[in-house]
PDB file of all heavy atoms in Angstrom:
ATOM      1  N   SER A 219     -10.136 -20.764  31.910  1.00 95.00           N
ATOM      2  CA  SER A 219     -11.070 -21.670  31.232  1.00 95.00           C
ATOM      3  C   SER A 219     -10.869 -23.109  31.691  1.00 95.00           C
ATOM      4  O   SER A 219      -9.732 -23.565  31.884  1.00 95.00           O
ATOM      5  CB  SER A 219     -10.863 -21.606  29.711  1.00 95.00           C
ATOM      6  OG  SER A 219     -11.138 -20.316  29.220  1.00 95.00           O
ATOM      7  N   ALA A 220     -11.965 -23.817  31.847  1.00 95.00           N
ATOM      8  CA  ALA A 220     -11.889 -25.259  32.117  1.00 95.00           C
ATOM      9  C   ALA A 220     -11.480 -25.987  30.846  1.00 95.00           C
ATOM     10  O   ALA A 220     -10.679 -26.929  30.882  1.00 95.00           O
ATOM     11  CB  ALA A 220     -13.234 -25.769  32.617  1.00 95.00           C
ATOM     12  N   VAL A 221     -12.029 -25.554  29.721  1.00 96.00           N
ATOM     13  CA  VAL A 221     -11.707 -26.149  28.421  1.00 96.00           C
ATOM     14  C   VAL A 221     -11.640 -25.032  27.376  1.00 96.00           C
ATOM     15  O   VAL A 221     -12.484 -24.130  27.359  1.00 96.00           O
ATOM     16  CB  VAL A 221     -12.761 -27.190  27.981  1.00 96.00           C
ATOM     17  CG1 VAL A 221     -12.354 -27.831  26.650  1.00 96.00           C
ATOM     18  CG2 VAL A 221     -12.957 -28.259  29.032  1.00 96.00           C
ATOM     19  N   LEU A 222     -10.634 -25.113  26.510  1.00 97.00           N
ATOM     20  CA  LEU A 222     -10.460 -24.166  25.408  1.00 97.00           C
ATOM     21  C   LEU A 222     -10.665 -24.929  24.109  1.00 97.00           C
ATOM     22  O   LEU A 222     -10.061 -25.998  23.907  1.00 97.00           O
ATOM     23  CB  LEU A 222      -9.046 -23.594  25.464  1.00 97.00           C
ATOM     24  CG  LEU A 222      -8.744 -22.242  24.816  1.00 97.00           C
ATOM     25  CD1 LEU A 222      -9.572 -21.143  25.473  1.00 97.00           C
ATOM     26  CD2 LEU A 222      -7.248 -21.942  24.971  1.00 97.00           C
ATOM     27  N   ILE A 223     -11.544 -24.445  23.237  1.00 97.00           N
ATOM     28  CA  ILE A 223     -11.793 -25.084  21.941  1.00 97.00           C
ATOM     29  C   ILE A 223     -11.349 -24.111  20.856  1.00 97.00           C
ATOM     30  O   ILE A 223     -11.930 -23.033  20.700  1.00 97.00           O
ATOM     31  CB  ILE A 223     -13.279 -25.453  21.748  1.00 97.00           C
ATOM     32  CG1 ILE A 223     -13.757 -26.334  22.909  1.00 97.00           C
ATOM     33  CG2 ILE A 223     -13.489 -26.153  20.418  1.00 97.00           C
ATOM     34  CD1 ILE A 223     -14.612 -25.616  23.913  1.00 97.00           C
ATOM     35  N   LYS A 224     -10.311 -24.478  20.109  1.00 97.00           N
ATOM     36  CA  LYS A 224      -9.727 -23.589  19.103  1.00 97.00           C
ATOM     37  C   LYS A 224      -9.948 -24.172  17.710  1.00 97.00           C
ATOM     38  O   LYS A 224      -9.653 -25.343  17.458  1.00 97.00           O
ATOM     39  CB  LYS A 224      -8.231 -23.403  19.372  1.00 97.00           C
ATOM     40  CG  LYS A 224      -7.941 -22.787  20.733  1.00 97.00           C
ATOM     41  CD  LYS A 224      -6.491 -22.954  21.159  1.00 97.00           C
ATOM     42  CE  LYS A 224      -5.554 -22.206  20.255  1.00 97.00           C
ATOM     43  NZ  LYS A 224      -4.144 -22.294  20.745  1.00 97.00           N
ATOM     44  N   LEU A 225     -10.476 -23.340  16.816  1.00 97.00           N
ATOM     45  CA  LEU A 225     -10.763 -23.760  15.450  1.00 97.00           C
ATOM     46  C   LEU A 225     -10.179 -22.750  14.471  1.00 97.00           C
ATOM     47  O   LEU A 225      -9.893 -21.608  14.833  1.00 97.00           O
ATOM     48  CB  LEU A 225     -12.266 -23.902  15.218  1.00 97.00           C
ATOM     49  CG  LEU A 225     -13.020 -24.828  16.185  1.00 97.00           C
ATOM     50  CD1 LEU A 225     -13.744 -23.984  17.229  1.00 97.00           C
ATOM     51  CD2 LEU A 225     -14.009 -25.699  15.444  1.00 97.00           C
ATOM     52  N   ASP A 226     -10.029 -23.179  13.221  1.00 97.00           N
ATOM     53  CA  ASP A 226      -9.404 -22.343  12.201  1.00 97.00           C
ATOM     54  C   ASP A 226     -10.224 -22.401  10.913  1.00 97.00           C
ATOM     55  O   ASP A 226     -10.682 -23.487  10.518  1.00 97.00           O
ATOM     56  CB  ASP A 226      -7.973 -22.832  11.944  1.00 97.00           C
ATOM     57  CG  ASP A 226      -7.261 -22.040  10.872  1.00 97.00           C
ATOM     58  OD1 ASP A 226      -6.685 -20.998  11.201  1.00 97.00           O
ATOM     59  OD2 ASP A 226      -7.289 -22.464   9.704  1.00 97.00           O
ATOM     60  N   LEU A 227     -10.409 -21.246  10.280  1.00 97.00           N
ATOM     61  CA  LEU A 227     -11.100 -21.186   8.993  1.00 97.00           C
ATOM     62  C   LEU A 227     -10.084 -21.389   7.873  1.00 97.00           C
ATOM     63  O   LEU A 227      -9.048 -20.715   7.827  1.00 97.00           O
ATOM     64  CB  LEU A 227     -11.811 -19.847   8.820  1.00 97.00           C
ATOM     65  CG  LEU A 227     -12.920 -19.540   9.825  1.00 97.00           C
ATOM     66  CD1 LEU A 227     -13.473 -18.139   9.585  1.00 97.00           C
ATOM     67  CD2 LEU A 227     -14.040 -20.569   9.740  1.00 97.00           C
ATOM     68  N   LYS A 228     -10.372 -22.300   6.983  1.00 95.00           N
ATOM     69  CA  LYS A 228      -9.443 -22.648   5.906  1.00 95.00           C
ATOM     70  C   LYS A 228      -9.493 -21.615   4.781  1.00 95.00           C
ATOM     71  O   LYS A 228     -10.574 -21.209   4.350  1.00 95.00           O
ATOM     72  CB  LYS A 228      -9.809 -24.037   5.362  1.00 95.00           C
ATOM     73  CG  LYS A 228      -8.790 -24.638   4.423  1.00 95.00           C
ATOM     74  CD  LYS A 228      -9.196 -26.065   4.086  1.00 95.00           C
ATOM     75  CE  LYS A 228      -8.152 -26.746   3.211  1.00 95.00           C
ATOM     76  NZ  LYS A 228      -8.547 -28.154   2.916  1.00 95.00           N
ATOM     77  N   ASN A 229      -8.313 -21.199   4.308  1.00 93.00           N
ATOM     78  CA  ASN A 229      -8.220 -20.250   3.178  1.00 93.00           C
ATOM     79  C   ASN A 229      -9.154 -19.060   3.380  1.00 93.00           C
ATOM     80  O   ASN A 229     -10.010 -18.772   2.541  1.00 93.00           O
ATOM     81  CB  ASN A 229      -8.545 -20.959   1.862  1.00 93.00           C
ATOM     82  CG  ASN A 229      -7.554 -22.050   1.537  1.00 93.00           C
ATOM     83  OD1 ASN A 229      -6.368 -21.947   1.849  1.00 93.00           O
ATOM     84  ND2 ASN A 229      -8.024 -23.124   0.929  1.00 93.00           N
ATOM     85  N   PHE A 230      -8.965 -18.376   4.485  1.00 95.00           N
ATOM     86  CA  PHE A 230      -9.915 -17.354   4.926  1.00 95.00           C
ATOM     87  C   PHE A 230     -10.133 -16.258   3.884  1.00 95.00           C
ATOM     88  O   PHE A 230     -11.244 -16.085   3.368  1.00 95.00           O
ATOM     89  CB  PHE A 230      -9.424 -16.751   6.236  1.00 95.00           C
ATOM     90  CG  PHE A 230     -10.367 -15.752   6.863  1.00 95.00           C
ATOM     91  CD1 PHE A 230     -11.711 -16.036   7.020  1.00 95.00           C
ATOM     92  CD2 PHE A 230      -9.895 -14.524   7.300  1.00 95.00           C
ATOM     93  CE1 PHE A 230     -12.580 -15.129   7.611  1.00 95.00           C
ATOM     94  CE2 PHE A 230     -10.750 -13.607   7.902  1.00 95.00           C
ATOM     95  CZ  PHE A 230     -12.085 -13.907   8.049  1.00 95.00           C
ATOM     96  N   PHE A 231      -9.098 -15.494   3.533  1.00 95.00           N
ATOM     97  CA  PHE A 231      -9.267 -14.407   2.568  1.00 95.00           C
ATOM     98  C   PHE A 231      -9.699 -14.918   1.185  1.00 95.00           C
ATOM     99  O   PHE A 231     -10.609 -14.361   0.571  1.00 95.00           O
ATOM    100  CB  PHE A 231      -7.992 -13.579   2.464  1.00 95.00           C
ATOM    101  CG  PHE A 231      -7.791 -12.618   3.622  1.00 95.00           C
ATOM    102  CD1 PHE A 231      -6.570 -11.993   3.824  1.00 95.00           C
ATOM    103  CD2 PHE A 231      -8.815 -12.342   4.510  1.00 95.00           C
ATOM    104  CE1 PHE A 231      -6.372 -11.114   4.879  1.00 95.00           C
ATOM    105  CE2 PHE A 231      -8.642 -11.465   5.574  1.00 95.00           C
ATOM    106  CZ  PHE A 231      -7.415 -10.855   5.749  1.00 95.00           C
TER     107      PHE A 231
END
Side-chain angles (χ1 to χ4, degrees):
S219 297
V221 182
L222 203 61
I223 305 104
K224 300 164 65 176
L225 305 101
D226 179 85
L227 297 176
K228 191 174 184 179
N229 297 326
F230 184 49
F231 283 167

